[in-house]
Amino acid sequence: MSTHAIDVDVLRETGQGIATEEMTLNMGPQHPSTHGVLRFVVKADGEVMRRAIPDIGYLHRSIEKIAEKVGYHGFMPYTDRVDYVSAMQCNQGWAMACEALAGIKVPRRGEYCRVIASEFGRLASHLLSVGATGMDIGAVTPFTHAIREREYINDILEELCGARLTFNYMRIGGCAWDLPPGFVGRATKFLDRFEPLIDEYNELISFNKIYVERLANVAVIPREMAIAYNLVGPNLRGSGVKYDVRKDAPYSVYPEFEFDVPVGTGERGTLGDSYDRYMVRMREMKESCKILRQALAGIPEGPVVAKVPRTFRPPVGEAYVRVEASRGDMGWFVVSDGTAFPYRVHIRTGSFAAMAIIEELSKGLMIADLVAVIATLDIVAPEVDR
Amino acid sequence: MGLGTYVRNIRETLETIFEGMAITASHFVRKPFTIQYPDRTEIRVQDSLPFRYRGLLDVDLEICTGCLACERACPIDCIVIDAEKDKQTKEMILKRFDIDLAKCMYCGLCSEPCPTGSIHHTPEFEGADYSLESLVRRFVKAPLVAYKPPKGPETDPEVAPILARGLRYLDEFASPGDPKAGE
C-alpha cells in the first residue's frame, strides 16, 4: 500500500531524518478549519504528526437532558440543533422514535413530504461538506460555488417551513405543513438546473490534479478498520462497504424509490482514502436528485399529519429508530414512563464515531493533512457533543 | 520518479487548472447571483419573504382570547401571560403579555395552537438592539378585556379585518393546507 504516512521512528533509527524534539501543538478550539469548536492536541515531530488527540465537549448543550424537561412536542425544535447542517433528518429521527413508541401511522403524503425535505437537507449538507473540503485545503473559489447552490436549497426549504437552518418542519405523526402552492414546479426547476452543476463542480475542482494529490492516498481507512471503528454513512461507504440504512433497514417510503448506493472505488489511489470519501458525497448528491424527482412526481393526495393529541402521552416502553442522516446512521433511543415527558433520550451520531478514528488515522500524517482528514470525514462539532 | 512522469504531472496539473479556470472565467458572462443587502434590493427583503417565514413574533391583542395555549406550547417559556377572570362580568382580563425575543428560538410552536391567529410570526427579522431588556416586548400597556369570539361572524368593523388576517394565517401557516396545494 503506498500512502503518504511517514514513520518518524524508522526515519530516526535509519538516520534519514533530522531528529527533532517532540512538539505539542494546540489546534483549535477556534481554528477556522475545524468546522465548529473542536480542539486537537497534536504531538508532532517537525511537520509529521505522531498523534492528534481530539478534545471534545466545547459544544455540549445537554440536549438529551433537555428532552426530559420539555416534553415530546416541545423537543422537536431542539432536534434541529443536534446537527444543524442537516436538521431535517434529525427532525425525522425524533418524530419516528415517538411514533414507534405510540404506534402512530404517518399518512402517505406526510411520508413523501418528509422524504422530499430530508433529501433537500442531504443535498444542502453534502454541498457544504464538499465546498468546505476544498476551502480547507486551499481552494476557496469552489466553496462559493457550493454555497451558492445551497442558498437556493435554503430558499426552497424556507418556502416549505419558514426557516433556513432550524426547520422544525416535522411533527409527531407527520409534517407541520403541506407543500406550498407551486412547490413541485419550483423544486423540479431547481433540480433541472442543479444536476448539470454537479458535473461542472467536478470539472472545477474534483479532477484538479493538485486537489487529487492532496486527497488521494491520504488517511486511508481499510474496510476492516472502518467496520471496527463503527464508521457510518459516506465515511463507511468510502471504504467500499455498501451499507445504507435507507436500503438495508428501510424506513419511511424509501423502498418505493429507485436509487443506487455509491461506494468508494479507489479510482485515484487506495480504496478508502480521503478522495473516495469525497467522491462518495459527490455521487450521493446525484442519487438524492433521483429520489427527489421520483418523490415530487409521485406524491399522493391526502393529509400530511395524523391525529395526535396535543398532550402526547405514549405508553410505557422504549423505542430505537435509525435514520440515514447526511453523516450516516443516526440512532434515536427514547424511553417512556407513561408521562408527558420522556424518561431518557439518547442520540447516536455519525460524527462521534468519525471523531474517534482520527487519533488512529493521524499517526504519521503531515499537520496540513489533518484538516483534509477532518473535512473529508465531514465532522460537525455540535453533532459530536450534542 | 522518472522525467516522463515529472513532465506528465506538470502537464496534467496545468490542463486541469485551466479547465477549472475556464469555468471561473465563464462567470464573467453569467448573471451575477449576489444580492446587495440591505439598500440595493428592488423591494424590501421583508416583502420578498415567503408567507410562512418565521420572523419576530407579534400579537394582535384585539383578537387574543387569553386562553394561554401559546404559553403552554412554548418549550423555553419566553411567553409570560397574566390573565384573570373577572368575578362579576365573567370576562378574561389580560394584565400582562410579554414575549422575550432574546430567548425566542422562532420555532413556531406557539402560533399553531392559537385559536384566532392572534400570536403570529411577522417577516421582520431586523431585531438588533443595544440591551437585552429592550428585547422584551410588552404588549399589554393597561389591563384590557380579552376577545370573546361571537357565535356568528364578527360584526365589529374594527376587529373583523384583524380576525380575517388571523384566520388566514391559521389556514396557510399553522394548520396543514388543503391536499390540493402544491400542484
Side-chain angles (χ1 to χ4, degrees), chain A residues 88 117 176 181 200 208 211 234-235 237 271 278 303 307 314 327 329 348 366 368 378 384:
Chain A
M88 280 296 184
E200 188 190 284
N208 185 306
Y211 191 72
N235 299 335
R237 293 193 281 275
L271 178 66
Y278 168 82
K307 283 256 177 293
R327 266 152 282 282
D329 184 351
R348 182 241 185 268
M366 307 286 270
D378 197 12
V384 178

mmCIF file of all heavy atoms in Angstrom, chain A residues 88 117 176 181 200 208 211 234-235 237 271 278 303 307 314 327 329 348 366 368 378 384:
data_model
loop_
_atom_site.group_PDB
_atom_site.id
_atom_site.type_symbol
_atom_site.label_atom_id
_atom_site.label_comp_id
_atom_site.label_asym_id
_atom_site.label_seq_id
_atom_site.Cartn_x
_atom_site.Cartn_y
_atom_site.Cartn_z
ATOM 1 N N MET A 88 -33.145 18.352 8.988
ATOM 2 C CA MET A 88 -34.362 17.630 8.624
ATOM 3 C C MET A 88 -34.334 16.178 9.073
ATOM 4 O O MET A 88 -35.318 15.643 9.561
ATOM 5 C CB MET A 88 -34.566 17.680 7.100
ATOM 6 C CG MET A 88 -35.161 18.968 6.622
ATOM 7 S SD MET A 88 -36.818 19.233 7.242
ATOM 8 C CE MET A 88 -37.235 20.742 6.417
ATOM 9 N N ALA A 117 -38.216 16.711 2.036
ATOM 10 C CA ALA A 117 -37.482 17.633 2.905
ATOM 11 C C ALA A 117 -36.123 17.059 3.283
ATOM 12 O O ALA A 117 -35.107 17.753 3.255
ATOM 13 C CB ALA A 117 -38.310 17.923 4.152
ATOM 14 N N ALA A 176 -45.557 19.379 9.638
ATOM 15 C CA ALA A 176 -46.328 20.517 10.133
ATOM 16 C C ALA A 176 -47.190 21.121 9.035
ATOM 17 O O ALA A 176 -48.337 21.478 9.264
ATOM 18 C CB ALA A 176 -45.385 21.563 10.700
ATOM 19 N N PRO A 181 -48.324 26.098 -2.502
ATOM 20 C CA PRO A 181 -48.739 26.050 -3.912
ATOM 21 C C PRO A 181 -47.556 26.301 -4.841
ATOM 22 O O PRO A 181 -46.749 27.197 -4.593
ATOM 23 C CB PRO A 181 -49.769 27.175 -4.017
ATOM 24 C CG PRO A 181 -50.232 27.404 -2.624
ATOM 25 C CD PRO A 181 -49.104 27.047 -1.716
ATOM 26 N N GLU A 200 -20.328 20.276 -13.388
ATOM 27 C CA GLU A 200 -19.473 21.457 -13.506
ATOM 28 C C GLU A 200 -18.562 21.588 -12.290
ATOM 29 O O GLU A 200 -17.394 21.915 -12.401
ATOM 30 C CB GLU A 200 -20.349 22.706 -13.648
ATOM 31 C CG GLU A 200 -19.549 23.948 -13.965
ATOM 32 C CD GLU A 200 -20.380 25.206 -13.862
ATOM 33 O OE1 GLU A 200 -21.173 25.449 -14.775
ATOM 34 O OE2 GLU A 200 -20.229 25.934 -12.861
ATOM 35 N N ASN A 208 -9.115 18.248 -10.447
ATOM 36 C CA ASN A 208 -7.906 19.070 -10.451
ATOM 37 C C ASN A 208 -6.742 18.265 -9.875
ATOM 38 O O ASN A 208 -6.850 17.662 -8.807
ATOM 39 C CB ASN A 208 -8.160 20.327 -9.604
ATOM 40 C CG ASN A 208 -7.018 21.297 -9.651
ATOM 41 O OD1 ASN A 208 -5.877 20.933 -9.378
ATOM 42 N ND2 ASN A 208 -7.298 22.526 -10.006
ATOM 43 N N TYR A 211 -5.582 19.057 -6.365
ATOM 44 C CA TYR A 211 -6.600 18.649 -5.409
ATOM 45 C C TYR A 211 -6.561 17.135 -5.191
ATOM 46 O O TYR A 211 -6.593 16.649 -4.061
ATOM 47 C CB TYR A 211 -7.964 19.077 -5.958
ATOM 48 C CG TYR A 211 -9.110 18.968 -5.004
ATOM 49 C CD1 TYR A 211 -9.231 19.847 -3.943
ATOM 50 C CD2 TYR A 211 -10.091 18.000 -5.181
ATOM 51 C CE1 TYR A 211 -10.298 19.770 -3.075
ATOM 52 C CE2 TYR A 211 -11.162 17.912 -4.320
ATOM 53 C CZ TYR A 211 -11.263 18.805 -3.268
ATOM 54 O OH TYR A 211 -12.322 18.716 -2.416
ATOM 55 N N PRO A 234 -21.373 8.091 4.538
ATOM 56 C CA PRO A 234 -20.420 8.213 3.435
ATOM 57 C C PRO A 234 -18.999 7.791 3.822
ATOM 58 O O PRO A 234 -18.249 7.317 2.977
ATOM 59 C CB PRO A 234 -20.470 9.696 3.096
ATOM 60 C CG PRO A 234 -21.771 10.169 3.597
ATOM 61 C CD PRO A 234 -22.087 9.347 4.795
ATOM 62 N N ASN A 235 -18.625 7.924 5.097
ATOM 63 C CA ASN A 235 -17.276 7.515 5.509
ATOM 64 C C ASN A 235 -17.106 6.010 5.375
ATOM 65 O O ASN A 235 -16.071 5.526 4.932
ATOM 66 C CB ASN A 235 -17.022 7.922 6.961
ATOM 67 C CG ASN A 235 -17.106 9.415 7.148
ATOM 68 O OD1 ASN A 235 -16.897 10.159 6.206
ATOM 69 N ND2 ASN A 235 -17.424 9.827 8.339
ATOM 70 N N ARG A 237 -19.039 4.051 3.436
ATOM 71 C CA ARG A 237 -19.174 3.695 2.028
ATOM 72 C C ARG A 237 -17.916 4.057 1.248
ATOM 73 O O ARG A 237 -17.580 3.401 0.278
ATOM 74 C CB ARG A 237 -20.402 4.390 1.431
ATOM 75 C CG ARG A 237 -21.699 3.879 2.009
ATOM 76 C CD ARG A 237 -22.888 4.342 1.204
ATOM 77 N NE ARG A 237 -23.274 5.712 1.501
ATOM 78 C CZ ARG A 237 -24.066 6.062 2.507
ATOM 79 N NH1 ARG A 237 -24.557 5.146 3.286
ATOM 80 N NH2 ARG A 237 -24.376 7.311 2.715
ATOM 81 N N LEU A 271 -8.222 2.288 -1.987
ATOM 82 C CA LEU A 271 -9.619 2.225 -1.560
ATOM 83 C C LEU A 271 -9.726 2.716 -0.120
ATOM 84 O O LEU A 271 -8.996 2.254 0.756
ATOM 85 C CB LEU A 271 -10.134 0.782 -1.668
ATOM 86 C CG LEU A 271 -11.572 0.561 -1.218
ATOM 87 C CD1 LEU A 271 -12.538 1.284 -2.125
ATOM 88 C CD2 LEU A 271 -11.905 -0.913 -1.172
ATOM 89 N N TYR A 278 -14.674 11.769 -0.406
ATOM 90 C CA TYR A 278 -15.154 12.994 -1.058
ATOM 91 C C TYR A 278 -16.052 12.652 -2.248
ATOM 92 O O TYR A 278 -17.144 13.191 -2.406
ATOM 93 C CB TYR A 278 -13.942 13.813 -1.505
ATOM 94 C CG TYR A 278 -14.251 14.954 -2.422
ATOM 95 C CD1 TYR A 278 -14.705 16.167 -1.912
ATOM 96 C CD2 TYR A 278 -14.109 14.825 -3.796
ATOM 97 C CE1 TYR A 278 -14.999 17.206 -2.751
ATOM 98 C CE2 TYR A 278 -14.407 15.866 -4.640
ATOM 99 C CZ TYR A 278 -14.851 17.052 -4.114
ATOM 100 O OH TYR A 278 -15.153 18.084 -4.950
ATOM 101 N N PRO A 303 -53.948 13.841 3.647
ATOM 102 C CA PRO A 303 -53.428 14.684 4.720
ATOM 103 C C PRO A 303 -51.935 14.451 4.924
ATOM 104 O O PRO A 303 -51.392 13.427 4.474
ATOM 105 C CB PRO A 303 -54.222 14.222 5.949
ATOM 106 C CG PRO A 303 -54.579 12.813 5.653
ATOM 107 C CD PRO A 303 -54.721 12.697 4.161
ATOM 108 N N LYS A 307 -53.727 12.323 13.310
ATOM 109 C CA LYS A 307 -54.307 12.954 14.504
ATOM 110 C C LYS A 307 -53.499 12.527 15.739
ATOM 111 O O LYS A 307 -53.440 11.359 16.087
ATOM 112 C CB LYS A 307 -55.751 12.502 14.662
ATOM 113 C CG LYS A 307 -56.712 13.182 13.720
ATOM 114 C CD LYS A 307 -57.532 14.251 14.458
ATOM 115 C CE LYS A 307 -58.448 15.005 13.516
ATOM 116 N NZ LYS A 307 -57.699 15.843 12.553
ATOM 117 N N PRO A 314 -47.210 8.781 25.473
ATOM 118 C CA PRO A 314 -47.069 7.438 24.912
ATOM 119 C C PRO A 314 -47.112 6.391 26.030
ATOM 120 O O PRO A 314 -46.841 6.725 27.193
ATOM 121 C CB PRO A 314 -45.697 7.472 24.243
ATOM 122 C CG PRO A 314 -44.962 8.526 24.955
ATOM 123 C CD PRO A 314 -45.950 9.521 25.456
ATOM 124 N N ARG A 327 -24.661 12.430 7.733
ATOM 125 C CA ARG A 327 -23.408 11.900 8.259
ATOM 126 C C ARG A 327 -23.571 10.453 8.706
ATOM 127 O O ARG A 327 -22.860 9.980 9.564
ATOM 128 C CB ARG A 327 -22.924 12.779 9.413
ATOM 129 C CG ARG A 327 -21.961 13.832 8.963
ATOM 130 C CD ARG A 327 -22.011 15.029 9.850
ATOM 131 N NE ARG A 327 -23.165 15.840 9.545
ATOM 132 C CZ ARG A 327 -23.228 16.660 8.501
ATOM 133 N NH1 ARG A 327 -22.207 16.803 7.734
ATOM 134 N NH2 ARG A 327 -24.310 17.354 8.261
ATOM 135 N N ASP A 329 -25.743 6.721 9.693
ATOM 136 C CA ASP A 329 -26.727 6.099 10.578
ATOM 137 C C ASP A 329 -26.874 6.901 11.868
ATOM 138 O O ASP A 329 -25.958 6.989 12.666
ATOM 139 C CB ASP A 329 -26.218 4.681 10.875
ATOM 140 C CG ASP A 329 -27.193 3.893 11.719
ATOM 141 O OD1 ASP A 329 -28.156 4.486 12.213
ATOM 142 O OD2 ASP A 329 -26.971 2.690 11.876
ATOM 143 N N ARG A 348 -27.471 8.699 18.842
ATOM 144 C CA ARG A 348 -26.209 8.149 18.368
ATOM 145 C C ARG A 348 -25.915 8.809 17.023
ATOM 146 O O ARG A 348 -26.728 8.757 16.111
ATOM 147 C CB ARG A 348 -26.358 6.633 18.202
ATOM 148 C CG ARG A 348 -25.091 5.947 17.766
ATOM 149 C CD ARG A 348 -25.270 5.260 16.439
ATOM 150 N NE ARG A 348 -24.078 4.510 16.092
ATOM 151 C CZ ARG A 348 -23.089 5.023 15.360
ATOM 152 N NH1 ARG A 348 -23.159 6.244 14.902
ATOM 153 N NH2 ARG A 348 -22.033 4.299 15.086
ATOM 154 N N MET A 366 1.032 14.442 7.763
ATOM 155 C CA MET A 366 1.506 15.808 7.916
ATOM 156 C C MET A 366 0.431 16.638 8.630
ATOM 157 O O MET A 366 -0.757 16.320 8.540
ATOM 158 C CB MET A 366 1.768 16.438 6.544
ATOM 159 C CG MET A 366 2.666 15.643 5.652
ATOM 160 S SD MET A 366 4.361 15.724 6.148
ATOM 161 C CE MET A 366 4.912 17.148 5.225
ATOM 162 N N ALA A 368 -0.674 19.488 7.843
ATOM 163 C CA ALA A 368 -1.593 20.091 6.871
ATOM 164 C C ALA A 368 -2.645 19.097 6.400
ATOM 165 O O ALA A 368 -3.708 19.492 5.936
ATOM 166 C CB ALA A 368 -0.809 20.615 5.682
ATOM 167 N N ASP A 378 -16.142 14.751 7.329
ATOM 168 C CA ASP A 378 -17.344 15.570 7.465
ATOM 169 C C ASP A 378 -17.810 15.638 8.914
ATOM 170 O O ASP A 378 -18.950 15.290 9.236
ATOM 171 C CB ASP A 378 -18.460 15.041 6.559
ATOM 172 C CG ASP A 378 -19.553 16.075 6.352
ATOM 173 O OD1 ASP A 378 -19.314 17.226 6.720
ATOM 174 O OD2 ASP A 378 -20.599 15.730 5.816
ATOM 175 N N VAL A 384 -21.073 15.960 17.464
ATOM 176 C CA VAL A 384 -20.187 15.156 18.295
ATOM 177 C C VAL A 384 -20.591 15.291 19.759
ATOM 178 O O VAL A 384 -20.707 14.306 20.485
ATOM 179 C CB VAL A 384 -18.720 15.603 18.097
ATOM 180 C CG1 VAL A 384 -17.805 14.811 18.984
ATOM 181 C CG2 VAL A 384 -18.311 15.471 16.658
#
